[in-house]
Amino acid sequence: MPRIPVMQAVVEVLKSEGIDTVFGCPGAAILPLYKAMELDGTIEHLIVRHEEGATHMADGWSRTTGNVGVAIGTSGPAGTNMITGLYTAMADSVPILCITGQAATAKLHQEAFQAVDIVEIAKPVAKWAVQVKEAAQMPWIFREAFRVARSGRPGPVLIDLPIDVQKQEIEWDSSIDAPLPVWKAAPHPPRVERALDMLLAAERPLLLAGGGVILGEASEELLELASYLQVPIQATLMGKGAVDEDHPLYAGMTGIQTSQRYGNASFFESDLVLALGARFGDRHTGDLETYRGTRKFIHVDSEPTQIGKVFGPDLGIVSDTKLFLRALLDLARSRDAGREPGPWVRRCQELKRTLLRREDFDTVPVKAPRVFKEINEFYGPDTYFVTAIGLYQIWSGQHQKAHLPRHYQVCGQAGPLGWEIPAAIGVKKARPDAEVVGIVGDYSFQFLVEELAVGAQYDVPFVLIMLNNEYLGLIRMAEDHGGYDMKYEVDIHYDVNGSDNVKIMEAYGCSGLRVTEPGQIRDSLEWARKEADRTRRPVLVEIMIEREGNTANGTSIASMREFEPLP
């Protein structure tokens, strides 16, 4: 067995796990890994301006490829800066690997420079956090990290590397090594039988596609089952894009924020919900008593402890979504249970035609729904979108159409401001030939704005569409309409133009323009597409929207408050 530097073995493991791009920031305590990457020369590295940015780039890369994204940092504050990214990935079941350098093992108890117990800090927001104490363990721990990140409910892992361990040599032969197998839970056949019995007995069933359908690459099976049994499909926010929203069987999104009117209505009329890889988040369910009603629930999830976490379903099934849907479809076909469209399908289609929200506003300042009307009409189904948190995310969920899995990426639970710019970089590095668009608010834009420099330095073109109301809009709405009767410390407007976001773009060597009228939106999107292609850098379209526009919302899916006139 050849004897090689241990970090060379780590690089070989990364490559064999399908990693061709990593995002990070070098520091003294992680330089042995950087030396190994330099000598290898086949893994592209992008220097970030903040380690949180590295985690979100790895996140966007992972959501796009389905593989494990990798972020690298040194010791001390590099690791603590990664915590938000770990939490975001944990919350949305995104497999990423964070690698941190660490002080020498003999110094860890002496308060050495930039020595912090990052393993203990990271444990609550990671599937696994571990410090490598023996060099011979290194390749095996990295193999296990990839296996853990991919297994069951995917999620993030952190590996902490003391510098003295990084400098050692080990016996290792990459030619006889391979990734560890990832086991996927198959459904127990009697439970598949029970699920089909319940589905066929229901008069008004719905299939609910959660993020697990996308993570499990199960969209084709979902649509095949729905078409065979003629059961309408809904999606959660994390499941958006699991099925084309223009498909006749798509019945919308239920929720108290990101939802369609027809989605809430069809859910409210349903008598059975088969939830696939969904976690019943509180922004989806709202008031649980109303959400549950008298309808029955079947909950399928690859992670056993997810079942019953929010409420006990009538039937729980531990399974990979793809394997479950295939088993259910095979069983349905063996029973010759196929159906033609019936009254329930037609009812959902009627609700979809009639219970809409208005988007054709021509007023100045621009109303946000008009922005998404233009986005839907301008961009094709192959476009990749990223968006984070705020009123703009809610408007996007309500109005923006998604057509393909992994093409609509959103922070569904953690909601970190600033996610869009680094995530868009990760998406574009994963799909260099694709059109990538970030939907961002004026406040979120400034949280990790420094990562624009990464896009400029490495020629990573994408378009940012900013909805600028010069407010912390979601919090202003919560203060104003949530029983507080105030607008305290949420107004970020100052001077005549406030922050000049176009000049901020220009300061980073990028381009931008400001839009003030709805009739300018389409031309600005066309300009941005051409400008991104010409400059090979990020481009901003800043749209000034009405300052106190509100999204439809409520505490119950049965009692949503609509702020805009309805069609």
Side-chain angles (χ1 to χ4, degrees):
M1 191 81 75
R3 193 166 184 83
I4 63 172
V6 66
M7 301 319 289
Q8 179 183 334
V10 168
V11 170
E12 293 293 336
V13 169
L14 292 176
K15 290 162 57 179
S16 73
E17 297 283 356
I19 305 304
D20 57 15
T21 307
V22 298
F23 312 91
C25 178
I30 195 64
L31 290 184
L33 174 56
Y34 274 83
K35 184 61 180 179
M37 288 195 295
E38 181 200 35
L39 292 174
D40 177 82
T42 62
I43 296 178
E44 183 179 11
H45 176 276
L46 279 68
I47 304 172
V48 302
R49 274 39 175 189
H50 190 288
E51 292 88 357
E52 182 185 343
T55 63
H56 296 329
M57 290 178 201
D59 184 325
W61 190 90
S62 175
R63 293 182 197 233
T64 305
T65 63
N67 199 0
V68 180
V70 177
I72 303 173
T74 189
S75 59
T80 57
N81 284 344
M82 290 178 166
I83 294 300
T84 297
L86 286 165
Y87 166 43
T88 303
M90 188 75 169
D92 286 350
S93 306
V94 179
I96 67 171
L97 168 60
C98 290
I99 304 170
T100 54
Q102 182 58 275
T105 52
K107 296 288 187 180
L108 294 180
H109 67 292
Q110 295 178 342
E111 298 187 28
F113 177 68
Q114 290 191 339
V116 67
D117 193 346
I118 193 63
V119 168
E120 288 301 315
I121 293 172
K123 278 181 178 179
V125 289
K127 287 188 72 178
W128 188 38
V130 60
Q131 184 181 91
V132 182
K133 294 179 171 60
E134 300 290 342
Q137 288 185 295
M138 190 87 75
W140 303 108
I141 284 178
F142 271 81
R143 288 294 189 202
E144 176 66 357
F146 278 94
R147 189 197 68 79
V148 169
R150 293 173 175 139
S151 297
R153 181 184 179 184
V157 172
L158 179 137
I159 301 179
D160 191 42
L161 306 177
I163 189 160
D164 55 317
V165 180
Q166 292 181 62
K167 291 179 176 179
Q168 297 178 34
E169 292 187 347
I170 63 169
E171 292 183 348
W172 183 258
D173 187 350
S174 63
S175 67
I176 56 172
D177 193 49
L180 299 176
V182 176
W183 178 79
K184 293 184 178 181
H188 188 43
R191 289 186 177 261
V192 179
E193 293 266 5
R194 180 71 59 83
L196 183 59
D197 290 342
M198 293 173 66
L199 196 59
L200 295 178
E203 294 182 5
R204 300 176 303 281
L206 287 174
L207 302 177
L208 178 61
V213 171
I214 294 174
L215 293 171
E217 307 289 350
S219 293
E220 289 185 13
E221 285 77 8
L222 172 67
L223 192 55
E224 196 174 350
L225 177 70
S227 299
Y228 184 68
L229 295 180
Q230 285 298 304
V231 178
I233 305 170
Q234 288 204 357
T236 67
L237 181 61
M238 295 305 300
K240 195 173 172 71
V243 62
D244 188 340
E245 294 187 28
D246 288 330
H247 193 280
L249 285 174
Y250 181 71
M253 182 188 297
T254 293
I256 58 171
Q257 288 188 354
T258 50
S259 63
Q260 283 88 34
R261 293 175 64 216
Y262 64 88
N264 280 3
S266 55
F267 187 94
F268 204 63
E269 293 186 17
S270 68
D271 62 359
L272 180 137
V273 176
L274 171 50
L276 301 151
R279 56 183 170 79
F280 298 112
D282 52 3
R283 293 202 307 168
H284 166 67
T285 66
D287 168 48
L288 269 178
E289 185 176 350
T290 303
Y291 181 85
R292 295 181 68 182
T294 59
R295 61 190 60 84
K296 296 183 181 299
F297 286 88
I298 304 169
H299 189 189
V300 179
D301 204 284
S302 62
E303 169 54 50
T305 61
Q306 285 295 109
I307 297 173
K309 179 178 283 189
V310 178
F311 62 86
D314 297 272
L315 177 65
I317 302 173
V318 177
S319 177
D320 171 78
T321 52
K322 191 184 189 81
L323 294 179
F324 170 78
L325 286 166
R326 178 53 56 192
L328 190 64
L329 183 60
D330 289 346
L331 180 61
R333 284 180 170 151
S334 72
R335 293 189 188 180
D336 195 24
R339 296 172 170 177
E340 296 297 319
W344 173 233
V345 169
R346 290 191 289 273
R347 173 59 176 164
C348 288
Q349 291 171 344
E350 177 191 7
L351 293 171
K352 187 176 180 179
R353 284 192 304 270
T354 57
L355 292 185
L356 303 174
R357 291 190 176 104
R358 189 179 166 192
E359 298 171 344
D360 59 344
F361 299 101
D362 291 324
T363 52
V364 177
V366 177
K367 281 188 177 288
R370 173 64 183 267
V371 178
F372 292 99
K373 177 180 186 295
E374 299 289 345
I375 289 172
N376 288 333
E377 293 175 355
F378 181 78
Y379 291 105
D382 292 330
T383 306
Y384 285 83
F385 289 94
V386 300
T387 192
I389 186 67
L391 289 181
Y392 61 97
Q393 181 216 63
I394 299 171
W395 276 312
S396 174
Q398 292 176 349
H399 296 279
Q400 190 174 346
K401 289 185 177 181
H403 304 278
L404 294 168
R406 298 191 181 276
H407 284 62
Y408 184 90
Q409 300 180 14
V410 59
C411 294
Q413 183 177 340
L417 289 163
W419 185 81
E420 297 93 347
I421 292 174
I425 292 172
V427 173
K428 187 66 176 179
K429 291 305 296 182
R431 295 289 182 266
D433 297 329
E435 188 166 30
V436 178
V437 179
I439 311 296
V440 64
D442 54 303
Y443 195 56
S444 183
F445 173 75
Q446 297 183 52
F447 267 62
L448 288 169
V449 68
E450 73 280 351
E451 304 309 325
L452 286 171
V454 180
Q457 178 179 352
Y458 293 97
D459 296 325
V460 186
F462 56 92
V463 173
L464 287 170
I465 301 174
M466 177 191 292
L467 279 68
N468 187 351
N469 56 11
E470 299 178 300
Y471 254 124
L472 277 64
L474 181 58
I475 309 307
R476 189 273 310 155
M477 190 175 76
E479 288 186 357
D480 198 12
H481 300 283
Y484 296 97
D485 191 26
M486 66 178 183
K487 297 176 186 176
Y488 182 67
E489 290 300 317
V490 289
D491 188 345
I492 56 175
H493 172 79
Y494 60 94
D495 295 339
V496 177
N497 294 316
S499 300
D500 193 331
N501 295 304
V502 171
K503 285 186 177 179
I504 291 174
M505 295 294 293
E506 292 170 352
Y508 283 102
C510 304
S511 308
L513 59 77
R514 175 174 281 191
V515 172
T516 57
E517 299 180 10
Q520 300 171 336
I521 297 174
R522 184 177 181 87
D523 287 345
S524 72
L525 299 181
E526 185 67 51
W527 169 83
R529 172 183 281 168
K530 293 176 180 177
E531 185 72 0
D533 186 60
R534 182 185 71 82
T535 64
R536 308 307 298 165
R537 291 184 175 185
V539 175
L540 172 69
V541 175
E542 179 186 31
I543 303 174
M544 305 305 293
I545 65 170
E546 63 175 337
R547 299 207 62 214
E548 296 191 4
N550 298 304
T551 60
N553 69 87
T555 58
S556 164
I557 61 172
S559 56
M560 293 283 285
R561 182 177 181 182
E562 301 285 342
F563 288 89
E564 299 291 356
L566 297 173

